[in-house]
Amino acid sequence: MDNKNIFNRLTESIREDWEYLSSIPIQEWQTQLDSLLHETSNPERVIVAFTQYLKNLPPPVETHIYKYLKTPKYLRFFERIFSQSPFITDTLIKHPEYADEILSSPTLARALTKKEWLLYLGCDYSKINSSSELISFLQDSHLLDGNDWNFKKIMIHFRQLHKKALLRITTRDIVEHQEVKSITEDLSNLADAYLELCFRLLSTYLEQQYGIPIKYDMEKGENLPSSFVILGLGKLGGRELNFSSDIDLLFIYDGDGETSGGHKGQITNREFFCKLGEQIIKFLSEHTEEGQIYRVDMRLRPYGKVGALAESLANSVEYYYQYGRAWERQALVKCRPCAGDIELGNEFLEMMRPFIFPKFFDDKTLDDIHQTKLMVEKQVAEQGQTNYEVKLGRGGIRDIEFTVQLLQLLNGGRKPELRITNTIDVIYQLMENNYLKPFDAETLIRNYCFLREVEHRLQIEYGTQKHALPQDPEELDEFARRLGYVSGSAFWHVYKDKTQEVRNILEQFIAVKASGNLWVYDLVSSQSDGREGLNKLKEFGFVDLNSARDIFRQLANGPEDSPHSLHVRENFIEIVPYLCEEFRKTHSPDKSLEQFFSQLSRLKIPGVIYSFLKENHNLCSFFVTLTTRAPALSNIWIKEPGIIEVFLQRELIGQRVDADYLTSSLRELKKSAFPESAHYRLKDSEWLRIALGDLLGKFTIAEVCEQLTLLAEVILQDIAIVSLEETKQKYGTSPFPFAVIGLGKIGGGEMTFGSDLDLIFVYDDEHINSTDKIDTTSISPTEYFADVSSRIIKKLKEPTRFGILYDIDARLRPYGSKGVLAINLNQLKEYYEHEADIWEKMALMKSRVIFEQGVMTTDISKILTDLAFHFPVSKEDVQKSENIRQKMVQQTNPDNLKKSEGGTAELEYIVRWWQRLKIEQCPELATSSVVNALNILMNVLPEHTEKWQFLKKTFGIYLQILNRYRLFTGVRSSTLSNEILSALPQLLPEIQFTPTPVEYLKDLKRKVHQFYLETLKSVQQWIE
């Protein structure tokens, strides 16, 4: 922004101020000014204020101007104050000397204590121990005319100091960016200091008139001075005051009696302390030419507006126990002695502890608290400010405070550490005591600080009690820039997200009963019309409310002929709010609930699940995700509900495990009461863990495939060892090496849920590894290893009471189903060198040794590489391959994601052909992984990088779709039905299926096929 552009944007009324600033003859000042106005949220406001400030500087003016305009610290200070707070700006312009004093303060980095603020106000009460000393202090400060109290002069003096104090705290906030908790503590300690100041000043004044209040001490049997305490509630009580807060106060004195008498005679202690209260309120809140210090709210005192301003300790305690209502109990949660006799205040709070924090809550009291909250929300809604009210609006400050105070009320009777007043400190304690989940606690603290900062910015501007955000777009833009956002819309997006986060947490606790939620009881009770529960379901996004209520009632109460016990019902009622919160996050809460119910209803003992989720509320999200997006896995946990304990290993959900971890887990499972179930239990628990990691977005598709492949490898390797041992027990030890080769998905490390295992079994009868010999007269090596192989296949695919591990496809072995089950190494080489079709050789590209025992004559991996990647190719081979592909396409449903034109099979054909074309140039291309091959091709043929990246991304998308499809349906087919195609946006929300899933996939397939045709031409040219 240059000078000319700034000048053109200015209104006529401030051009004179702009010209004044522009004319200051200080080197580099113009550059500084341009930068200053470019960065500020309100250039015009800064120009006007800066001009007024500079023109009001005391002599020597030039010295001050030079220092201020050349020092970045001062410029930053002025820009922040002038642009954000006309209210504070007025103070600075009237008192320009404050700038040096504040910016040179060594305490800006921290809040001042109450004692330090008293010193700041000129009152060192450590040196003032009597009324006479206080009067001498006031006289020395020229605040008393002789012995006459000039309250107007005194009030003006302390109002000026208050503005100076606010300037200091504002600087800490908007210039130094100190933490919100430190700012609110600073403001609260300042208020404490003023209350202490008022108490000392005004009690001295009243004692001159009426004498000292005297009470009779029954224990000591003598008259003693009566003491007085000022208690703060609300934000003051929590040390959370903002820049324009009311201060909510209680005045309590410790005993009735009469004053000792003064020049106006005697009065009762009650009258004395009521007068003291009146004077304190007047001193703080009366408007003068310097404004007021605080607005004082006394409506929370016993009997409210009709009650006395000050009440005795005994009467106050009696009132609350006899007449105290739920909202008064809640208000006292944040009660704190601020000034006067602090010990008296603590005595009052200790006497009130059973009232404020009962050990057990009745539902009626909690319902009253709930109704109070709803009434406030209704009032805000009627004003049309639900979404704009930072304090009382939906997800605002009061929602956080309500959540925290409700949990304090419920649990403070048993947990003394929860009986504190500061919201942030309480949240930490609630988390430490497991009443708030760590993530929720962190969210509440973060958003509380955010909302309080927004509230401060609203109130700093004009020093008014403002809580509503600007609704005018231009005003919101300007306000957002003051907070550091580029625009109002950017700020609004963050604000809405944070308030929604708060509201989501509040919904877990609002109207909580000692054993559940009021609205949940209403929802599932047969004696209720369910109105409150239905309204709540509507808030959670349910549409068919009556149907949803029926399901919840069945889940809670069980079937009529076999109803759930009270314990099971209560457990379910407690988890309903958490479940509903998770249903809200799904695409269709109604459908998600139906899926949840269809699976839970299959459980013979659903109480196991209810109890588990009750003790682990935070795992409800995992369970809802599993039941709604991976119902195909329901048989796993329905068969063995205890397996859900895998959820407790939250650190493993989203963590990739290695083979050592899986092998160790398998070893431990074999030590159980049912060792024969070990492989099945390992697979089931890992499938649940990997599925959750996938659905929760913690794994990429490559990581999902990698872990599913690793799991299959560990299970296959262990079963191969067991099978070899069984054959050994029957026929003796074989001296020959043996290997299991994986092809297809396991060979390429690309297994999805439900993938077959394509296996070839190989032995080497020309290389003896030991002196052990089998009885060759009874069994040949071919038969021996066929026995081993058949045992492996049987253990992997045979149905048992624990389920099935993997389906096995051995048809890719040499000679297919007509060939022997296990083949020797020479026969393998002979077959692929002289008899295998082109498609078999290309399939071998995805081969990999999964298990090997003994040492082969030659490295089997090298043999596989030579056979798979270095075979000769003729025109006839290419045509034969193309004929096979075309026949496969013609016989396949167009919606088949694997075999249709442009599907995974064709994509892999592209990669295999390019591997064969470039293997001599780049031996590293001898990899079984499609993704690895594509990564290498980007370096080998960089001119086609865009195509390789497209194929890599598309391959991942295809795998993701097949993965989620199989998790959702349990069907291993690759053909996507119309229902599944329409559901893809819900199954895979991380992919934008635009304009529709059908069109999206059609476009991907078209591009894949186009590249395949181009590849075919390249192959033909290579042959020629």
Side-chain angles (χ1 to χ4, degrees):
M1 184 185 296
D2 57 31
N3 287 6
K4 184 176 180 181
N5 288 335
I6 295 173
F7 186 78
N8 290 336
R9 290 177 54 204
L10 299 181
T11 60
E12 195 68 35
S13 61
I14 68 165
R15 290 197 176 189
E16 184 178 335
D17 292 332
W18 163 252
E19 290 168 355
Y20 167 79
L21 292 178
S22 299
S23 67
I24 297 175
I26 294 179
Q27 187 177 8
E28 297 182 356
W29 162 237
Q30 292 307 313
T31 302
Q32 296 275 16
L33 178 61
D34 290 348
S35 176
L36 190 74
L37 298 181
H38 179 75
E39 294 175 2
T40 189
S41 61
N42 195 320
E44 294 194 356
R45 188 182 281 176
V46 172
I47 290 169
V48 172
F50 219 150
T51 301
Q52 292 177 348
Y53 180 80
L54 294 178
K55 288 182 177 180
N56 202 42
L57 287 172
V61 175
E62 292 78 9
T63 302
H64 291 308
I65 290 179
Y66 185 84
K67 177 177 66 174
Y68 293 156
L69 302 192
K70 293 284 287 185
T71 309
K73 178 175 71 171
Y74 281 100
L75 289 175
R76 181 168 168 267
F77 167 74
F78 290 131
E79 183 274 320
R80 294 287 190 272
I81 298 297
F82 294 158
S83 65
Q84 300 208 29
S85 180
F87 169 66
I88 299 297
T89 295
D90 288 343
T91 301
L92 192 57
I93 290 173
K94 289 179 182 177
H95 301 279
E97 69 278 6
Y98 287 175
D100 288 332
E101 182 180 338
I102 287 173
L103 289 179
S104 63
S105 171
T107 61
L108 277 182
R110 65 174 177 84
L112 296 182
T113 64
K114 173 183 172 180
K115 183 177 180 181
E116 287 174 320
W117 273 121
L118 283 167
L119 290 172
Y120 195 90
L121 298 174
C123 307
D124 186 356
Y125 281 111
S126 64
K127 299 177 181 177
I128 300 175
N129 299 308
S130 66
S131 297
S132 60
E133 290 177 347
L134 177 59
I135 291 173
S136 296
F137 160 73
L138 292 173
Q139 290 172 336
D140 293 342
S141 302
H142 307 291
L143 297 176
L144 285 187
D145 298 330
N147 289 323
D148 294 331
W149 291 72
N150 187 337
F151 275 109
K152 182 178 180 180
K153 186 176 182 180
I154 294 172
M155 286 194 290
I156 288 175
H157 171 74
F158 285 110
R159 278 156 173 71
Q160 290 173 341
L161 289 177
H162 186 247
K163 289 182 177 180
K164 179 181 176 183
L166 288 181
L167 174 59
R168 177 190 181 277
I169 300 175
T170 301
T171 302
R172 295 189 65 232
D173 185 5
I174 66 177
V175 180
E176 298 296 319
H177 299 296
Q178 298 296 320
E179 292 183 352
V180 167
K181 192 172 188 292
S182 178
I183 300 300
T184 56
E185 182 182 344
D186 220 0
L187 289 163
S188 302
N189 290 346
L190 174 62
D192 285 0
Y194 266 105
L195 290 170
E196 190 70 46
L197 169 73
C198 287
F199 167 68
R200 298 292 185 96
L201 282 176
L202 298 171
S203 59
T204 298
Y205 168 71
L206 289 173
E207 285 170 6
Q208 285 183 331
Q209 295 179 312
Y210 303 105
I212 298 172
I214 301 296
K215 67 170 183 179
Y216 181 75
D217 191 306
M218 297 290 290
E219 291 184 5
K220 295 183 178 180
E222 59 179 328
N223 289 326
L224 296 173
S226 181
S227 61
F228 175 84
V229 64
I230 303 174
L231 296 138
L233 299 98
K235 284 187 166 57
L236 176 59
R239 296 188 187 278
E240 300 158 348
L241 221 54
N242 58 37
F243 281 92
S244 187
S245 287
D246 291 351
I247 54 174
D248 299 295
L249 303 178
L250 287 180
F251 299 141
I252 293 177
Y253 59 96
D254 66 348
D256 287 317
E258 289 187 339
T259 62
S260 60
H263 63 264
K264 285 190 176 183
Q266 282 184 302
I267 57 175
T268 65
N269 290 357
R270 183 184 183 86
E271 290 174 307
F272 180 92
F273 289 119
C274 283
K275 287 181 180 291
L276 178 58
E278 288 175 3
Q279 293 290 331
I280 291 172
I281 294 169
K282 181 179 179 181
F283 189 95
L284 294 173
S285 62
E286 185 173 287
H287 282 275
T288 71
E289 60 197 65
E290 290 291 339
Q292 62 181 167
I293 299 177
Y294 297 108
R295 293 175 302 276
V296 179
D297 192 337
M298 298 296 300
R299 289 175 297 175
L300 296 177
R301 69 186 186 271
Y303 302 102
K305 292 181 180 180
V306 299
L309 276 180
E311 193 59 83
S312 70
L313 175 64
N315 287 349
S316 297
V317 172
E318 182 182 8
Y319 164 79
Y320 286 113
Y321 278 101
Q322 291 292 329
Y323 307 105
R325 289 156 291 179
W327 62 266
E328 290 175 297
R329 188 196 307 267
Q330 189 175 0
L332 288 173
V333 168
K334 295 181 80 69
C335 185
R336 175 180 65 86
C338 299
D341 188 347
I342 302 299
E343 287 304 314
L344 173 61
N346 289 331
E347 182 182 354
F348 167 74
L349 291 177
E350 182 58 31
M351 295 172 73
M352 292 299 301
R353 187 202 59 74
F355 172 75
I356 305 170
F357 299 110
K359 286 191 176 180
F360 301 101
F361 256 80
D362 61 276
D363 294 341
K364 180 63 174 67
T365 301
L366 287 165
D367 194 32
D368 288 344
I369 293 173
H370 181 204
Q371 293 304 320
T372 302
K373 178 73 170 70
L374 293 178
M375 187 166 59
V376 172
E377 292 192 352
K378 182 179 179 183
Q379 292 171 350
V380 174
E382 288 172 351
Q383 296 168 8
Q385 295 191 325
T386 295
N387 295 323
Y388 297 92
E389 244 280 357
V390 176
K391 179 180 178 181
L392 302 177
R394 189 175 179 82
I397 295 169
R398 186 57 58 83
D399 274 4
I400 297 176
E401 293 174 339
F402 182 85
T403 302
V404 170
Q405 290 168 25
L406 188 60
L407 290 173
Q408 281 184 277
L409 289 169
L410 285 171
N411 304 292
R414 300 180 301 281
K415 296 286 184 177
E417 57 268 35
L418 298 181
R419 302 168 199 164
I420 52 181
T421 60
N422 183 269
T423 299
I424 291 177
D425 292 342
V426 176
I427 292 173
Y428 279 119
Q429 285 299 324
L430 289 169
M431 180 181 69
E432 290 293 325
N433 285 276
N434 298 317
Y435 296 118
L436 270 177
K437 295 176 283 189
F439 178 79
D440 287 347
E442 179 187 342
T443 300
L444 289 178
I445 290 172
R446 182 179 64 248
N447 293 351
Y448 180 77
C449 291
F450 167 79
L451 292 168
R452 290 304 305 272
E453 185 178 358
V454 172
E455 183 183 48
H456 286 174
R457 288 297 192 277
L458 288 169
Q459 298 186 356
I460 283 172
E461 187 172 14
Y462 293 109
T464 56
Q465 193 178 29
K466 183 179 180 182
H467 298 104
L469 294 169
Q471 297 186 38
D472 178 77
E474 291 186 5
E475 291 180 10
L476 185 62
D477 277 344
E478 198 270 330
F479 176 74
R481 289 195 296 272
R482 298 212 308 268
L483 281 164
Y485 294 88
V486 295
S487 66
S489 60
F491 163 76
W492 184 248
H493 179 75
V494 173
Y495 179 82
K496 290 298 292 179
D497 283 350
K498 290 185 177 295
T499 52
Q500 186 58 52
E501 287 178 344
V502 169
R503 193 66 184 191
N504 290 344
I505 295 172
L506 170 66
E507 296 292 350
Q508 300 174 26
F509 302 106
I510 197 167
V512 174
K513 293 177 64 172
S515 58
N517 282 61
L518 289 174
W519 68 266
V520 181
Y521 277 89
D522 180 67
L523 182 72
V524 301
S525 172
S526 57
Q527 284 75 42
S528 168
D529 63 4
R531 183 180 304 172
E532 186 177 352
L534 292 173
N535 288 338
K536 196 69 179 176
L537 290 183
K538 188 174 182 180
E539 289 182 25
F540 281 116
F542 290 93
V543 177
D544 191 344
L545 303 180
N546 289 319
S547 176
R549 187 190 183 202
D550 287 342
I551 291 176
F552 277 115
R553 289 174 65 180
Q554 290 182 66
L555 287 167
N557 303 315
E560 290 184 6
D561 57 344
S562 179
H564 295 330
S565 67
L566 177 62
H567 176 71
V568 171
R569 181 175 177 270
E570 290 289 340
N571 282 351
F572 180 74
I573 285 172
E574 182 163 330
I575 65 174
V576 167
Y578 306 98
L579 293 174
C580 285
E581 184 55 46
E582 298 308 320
F583 290 136
R584 184 214 295 265
K585 298 174 185 176
T586 65
H587 178 74
S588 171
D590 295 87
K591 190 169 184 178
S592 298
L593 175 61
E594 290 173 8
Q595 292 170 330
F596 180 86
F597 174 64
S598 70
Q599 294 169 70
L600 265 290
S601 59
R602 293 164 57 194
L603 278 171
K604 293 181 179 179
I605 312 176
V608 175
I609 300 296
Y610 296 170
S611 178
F612 173 79
L613 295 179
K614 178 195 170 187
E615 297 302 320
N616 304 276
H617 291 160
N618 54 330
L619 302 184
C620 285
S621 63
F622 291 175
F623 199 71
V624 170
T625 297
L626 195 65
T627 55
T628 58
R629 297 177 65 190
L633 299 185
S634 61
N635 283 334
I636 292 176
W637 55 265
I638 288 173
K639 174 181 62 181
E640 186 182 353
I643 204 169
I644 293 181
E645 289 186 4
V646 72
F647 292 170
L648 292 175
Q649 299 175 295
R650 299 184 66 196
E651 70 280 359
L652 290 179
I653 296 176
Q655 294 293 323
R656 294 160 65 185
V657 300
D658 57 20
D660 289 340
Y661 170 83
L662 294 174
T663 303
S664 174
S665 298
L666 184 59
R667 189 182 308 119
E668 291 301 314
L669 288 169
K670 286 186 174 184
K671 297 177 183 177
S672 70
F674 301 99
E676 65 273 22
S677 70
H679 296 110
Y680 303 89
R681 293 173 66 189
L682 177 67
K683 181 194 169 200
D684 287 347
S685 62
E686 280 299 295
W687 270 31
L688 286 180
R689 186 186 68 80
I690 297 168
L692 275 171
D694 178 24
L695 295 170
L696 295 172
K698 297 180 180 295
F699 293 141
T700 64
I701 185 59
E703 290 169 335
V704 171
C705 295
E706 172 194 329
Q707 291 183 91
L708 289 172
T709 302
L710 181 62
L711 173 65
E713 288 176 12
V714 169
I715 291 174
L716 172 59
Q717 289 162 2
D718 187 74
I719 283 177
I721 291 171
V722 172
S723 299
L724 279 164
E725 183 62 29
E726 289 176 352
T727 302
K728 171 186 171 184
Q729 295 298 325
K730 186 175 182 181
Y731 297 110
T733 303
S734 169
F736 304 123
F738 171 75
V740 181
I741 298 169
L743 296 91
K745 294 300 183 191
I746 191 172
E750 300 152 357
M751 288 189 68
T752 58
F753 292 99
S755 290
D756 294 345
L757 300 186
D758 298 311
L759 304 176
I760 297 178
F761 302 99
V762 183
Y763 64 94
D764 184 359
D765 56 1
E766 293 186 356
H767 194 178
I768 297 176
N769 284 173
S770 70
T771 57
D772 297 326
K773 293 184 179 180
I774 58 174
D775 184 0
T776 55
T777 60
S778 61
I779 188 170
S780 67
T782 299
E783 293 171 302
Y784 185 94
F785 288 110
D787 185 80
V788 174
S789 302
S790 64
R791 291 176 185 274
I792 293 173
I793 293 172
K794 182 179 180 180
K795 293 180 190 300
L796 286 170
K797 71 178 292 185
E798 186 173 64
T800 70
R801 66 190 178 102
F802 305 110
I804 298 174
L805 288 172
Y806 296 97
D807 199 3
I808 306 301
D809 191 345
R811 291 174 298 173
L812 289 180
R813 69 184 186 271
Y815 306 104
S817 57
K818 297 178 181 179
V820 293
L821 199 55
I823 189 171
N824 72 40
L825 193 57
N826 282 330
Q827 289 173 327
L828 179 78
K829 291 163 59 179
E830 181 73 18
Y831 178 79
Y832 277 103
E833 286 175 349
H834 302 294
E835 298 184 55
D837 279 334
I838 182 69
W839 67 268
E840 292 180 282
K841 296 177 182 178
M842 295 180 78
L844 201 63
M845 287 183 174
K846 296 191 72 169
S847 63
R848 188 165 55 93
V849 177
I850 305 298
F851 172 80
E852 187 173 6
Q853 185 178 73
V855 180
M856 298 280 181
T857 306
T858 54
D859 183 358
I860 191 169
S861 294
K862 185 178 184 307
I863 292 174
L864 291 175
T865 298
D866 291 340
L867 294 173
F869 293 96
H870 296 281
F871 57 86
V873 182
S874 65
K875 287 184 179 181
E876 291 74 20
D877 288 331
V878 176
Q879 188 58 52
K880 185 182 292 185
S881 171
E882 177 59 7
N883 290 341
I884 293 172
R885 186 200 65 80
Q886 289 179 358
K887 184 178 180 181
M888 176 183 69
V889 169
Q890 291 167 4
Q891 296 175 349
T892 299
N893 187 309
D895 291 325
N896 186 293
L897 200 57
K898 180 179 180 181
K899 298 180 180 179
S900 64
E901 192 169 86
T904 56
E906 196 167 285
L907 189 151
E908 291 188 30
Y909 264 116
I910 297 173
V911 178
R912 290 172 188 171
W913 275 124
W914 282 105
Q915 286 178 280
R916 179 64 193 89
L917 294 183
K918 297 298 178 181
I919 190 67
E920 281 77 17
Q921 177 183 340
C922 180
E924 289 82 6
L925 279 170
T927 174
S928 61
S929 165
V930 171
V931 172
N932 288 345
L934 286 168
N935 287 332
I936 296 169
L937 285 169
M938 288 184 201
N939 294 322
V940 177
L941 295 168
E943 64 271 20
H944 295 314
T945 294
E946 189 174 333
K947 291 181 179 179
W948 306 133
Q949 290 174 337
F950 165 75
L951 290 178
K952 180 179 175 182
K953 179 181 177 181
T954 301
F955 186 65
I957 291 171
Y958 285 168
L959 291 180
Q960 279 183 293
I961 292 172
L962 290 173
N963 223 30
R964 298 290 174 85
Y965 167 50
R966 290 169 180 175
L967 282 176
F968 189 72
T969 64
V971 176
R972 291 171 49 203
S973 168
S974 300
T975 300
L976 307 179
S977 65
N978 290 333
E979 182 183 357
I980 291 299
L981 284 168
S982 63
L984 283 180
Q986 289 78 59
L987 297 180
L988 271 166
E990 53 266 54
I991 296 177
Q992 297 296 317
F993 291 98
T994 53
T996 66
V998 172
E999 291 298 321
Y1000 180 85
L1001 289 176
K1002 185 177 179 181
D1003 184 58
L1004 287 183
K1005 289 182 176 181
R1006 179 184 58 78
K1007 292 177 180 176
V1008 169
H1009 183 63
Q1010 181 181 344
F1011 195 21
Y1012 171 76
L1013 295 178
E1014 294 173 9
T1015 298
L1016 212 55
K1017 291 180 181 178
S1018 298
V1019 173
Q1020 291 166 343
Q1021 292 171 0
W1022 175 69
I1023 293 173
E1024 294 171 356

